[in-house]
């Protein structure tokens, strides 16, 4: 079922949106009262408008006007992401709204979040083994690619077994920047 075919929720959900500037470019952030819902790389005005439109369809309502509990979650997310990018935060303590993912992908992302801390790496195959699916390294890659909460749920920490960086939807330069920030890779020379 495509997103356009997905029925609207029985009850529209309140949510909020903001965009913040970071060393990896603008990040779009969406939150519900339950927690941070979505992190979007390269959130320039055009992409932000498309994301807001998509989330409006999924959640059954346009973004809420401030003040609201959703905006409180966004304020906390913004503060923690700024602290992370400034090198002052190693562990996010945000409430997360997992409603944009389910099944194997959610299980895999939760394993990643809970057991691959700041400054460490895990191989796609090792993560597949950890979730009890030893033949599912490619499925782990797909789960990382569909992660609705990148940076906070650190899919940038997942690499190839041979030491290669693997993929990263926002681009390998963004992955290198995040890994350098965490001390896993040397800072780029330029």
């Amino acid at each position: 079922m495509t997103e356009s075919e997905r029925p609207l929720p029985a009850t529209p959900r309140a949510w909020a949106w903001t965009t913040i500037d970071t060393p990896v470019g603008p990040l779009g952030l969406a939150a519900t009262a339950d927690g941070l819902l979505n992190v979007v790389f390269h959130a320039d005005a055009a992409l932000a408008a498309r994301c807001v439109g998509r989330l409006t369809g999924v959640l059954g309502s346009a973004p809420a006007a401030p003040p609201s509990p959703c905006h409180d979650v966004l304020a906390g997310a913004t503060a923690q992401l700024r602290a992370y990018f400034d090198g002052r935060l190693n562990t996010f303590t945000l409430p997360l709204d997992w409603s944009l993912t389910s099944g194997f992908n959610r299980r895999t992302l939760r394993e990643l979040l809970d057991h691959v801390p700041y400054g460490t790496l895990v191989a796609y195959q090792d993560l597949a083994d950890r979730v009890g699916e030893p033949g599912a390294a490619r499925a782990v890659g797909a789960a990382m690619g569909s992660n609705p909460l990148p940076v906070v749920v650190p899919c940038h920490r997942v690499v190839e077994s041979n030491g290669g960086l693997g993929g990263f939807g926002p681009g390998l330069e963004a992955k290198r920047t995040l890994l350098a920030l965490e001390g896993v890779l040397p800072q780029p020379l330029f």
Side-chain angles (χ1 to χ4, degrees), residues 1 16 29-30 32 36 42 51-52 61 64 69 78 88 92 106-107 123 130 132 136 143 177 181 185:
M1 177 181 303
L29 307 177
T32 65
L36 186 64
H42 311 297
C51 291
V52 167
S61 68
T78 297
R88 298 179 288 115
F92 292 100
R106 184 185 292 186
R107 263 190 12 245
R130 291 180 185 197
T177 299
L181 174 74
L185 292 178

Side-chain angles (χ1 to χ4, degrees), residues 99-121:
S99 63
L100 296 180
T101 189
S102 62
F104 175 82
N105 289 1
R106 184 185 292 186
R107 263 190 12 245
T108 304
L109 292 168
R110 283 183 171 271
E111 176 66 25
L112 173 67
L113 178 65
D114 293 342
H115 300 289
V116 182
Y118 184 95
T120 65
L121 301 173

Side-chain angles (χ1 to χ4, degrees), residues 3 6 38 40 49-59 100:
E3 294 221 15
R6 183 177 294 160
N38 204 196
V40 179
R50 287 194 306 274
C51 291
V52 167
R54 178 183 60 82
L55 289 169
T56 295
V58 170
L59 299 171
L100 296 180

Side-chain angles (χ1 to χ4, degrees), residues 165-184:
L165 282 181
F168 194 60
L172 290 181
E173 195 54 43
K175 188 171 189 171
R176 283 186 194 96
T177 299
L178 293 169
L179 292 176
L181 174 74
E182 293 187 14
V184 177

